[in-house]
Amino acid sequence: MTETLPKADLIKLPVSSLEIGMYVAAIENSEQVMVANAGRISNMELLVKLKSKGISFVWIDPARSSFTTDNSPAAAMVANNTINTNGTKNRELAQKQASELLHEAKGLVRKVLSETFEGKAIEVAKVEALAENMIESVMDNADAFKCVSALRSKDAYLLEHSVNVAVLLVTFGRYLALDRDMLRQLAVGGILHDVGKIKVDSNVLNKPGKLTPEEFEHMKLHQVYAIPIMSEAQGLSQVSKDVCLMHHEKLDGRGYPRGLKGEQLPLHGRMSCIVDIYDALTATRCYKEAMSPASAFKILLSLTPFHLDESLVYEFIRCIGVYPVGSLVELSDGRVGIVWETEDRDVLHPVVKCFYSNKHKHYTDVALVDLKKSELNIERGISPSSMAVDPTPFY
């Protein structure tokens, strides 16, 4: 039953924006507002529990809320009421929040790696809370989140790769209609999937060139190192552990660390193999430039059916799209732009944010081109390394 809200000055927020210290005066789900069990979010466990219940929105009492920092993104939302009562956000705000979430995610991965290196057990509840926020962001404005996550730095590869694998697993899982609990487990596994690399020799991990056979064998040990780390993480689901421990396995049994084969690799294990390779190929590293998504797709297909699940690779390509949000494309008039929006569109007609002319070799006025309403078309996808200019400022 819908109940009367206790105060008129409450602020409505999506559950993804909840933070410790907020006072929840009411919750809203399926257009019902319930005022029972009001109270302050005092710890991470309560936060995770509330986010896992499928609640759509919460009503916050700013006067009874407290925050750890005044510049908290959520505190700013409450103070400025930047989200309206319908929970809608414009693209600019959505990208800002996505950027803040990804910054938070990289910070948490950095903290997890540092504490694991010191021998401390992973605090699973904090990773689960981040995973819930990722799921909400992908579901709320997938294009904005994908566009921000496309920004890469070769100096922060391990952090960005962990976060991006989690994002891609959520995106892929959502496309495959997996339930929310499975999406959360996939995201947690993605965030933690490379944690074993903290024990790999940094000279090998960051070598700007091809590894020797001996160095490659040492690199492969990061999976062995991950086994005890996973077993010591209290509350970590088996699915999350599998994502961490199976993303280098191959269907023909020639992967590592366990040499699993065929049906020994469950769906989520097969998904993690595909996503890990795709993100590595499309990232800039100290020893290579980023590939375009189209080039990465060709390599994924070349690895089927012996290494990767062929039908699942095709599903992944359909999920991501030939021209994914955040990727660079050249239009038929020679302009280059960022694929900006793809929701509810066919793969060949996204909205493209143009900023440069390959034909005339100069910047152009920034313009959003809706290919549904234009005679222009996409000539080709291009990799950032092929550009004479840096596209980063236009994201």
Side-chain angles (χ1 to χ4, degrees), residues 193 220-227 244-248 256-257:
H193 84 285
K220 287 165 62 176
L221 289 175
H222 81 276
Q223 289 296 88
V224 177
Y225 297 143
I227 294 172
C244 178
L245 299 175
M246 292 182 179
H247 66 274
H248 286 300
Y256 60 92

Side-chain angles (χ1 to χ4, degrees), residues 350-371:
V351 173
V352 179
K353 185 179 184 180
C354 295
F355 62 90
Y356 184 78
S357 171
N358 254 350
K359 184 177 180 180
H360 301 292
K361 304 300 179 187
H362 63 68
Y363 289 107
T364 62
D365 291 337
V366 175
L368 290 174
V369 178
D370 186 343
L371 294 183

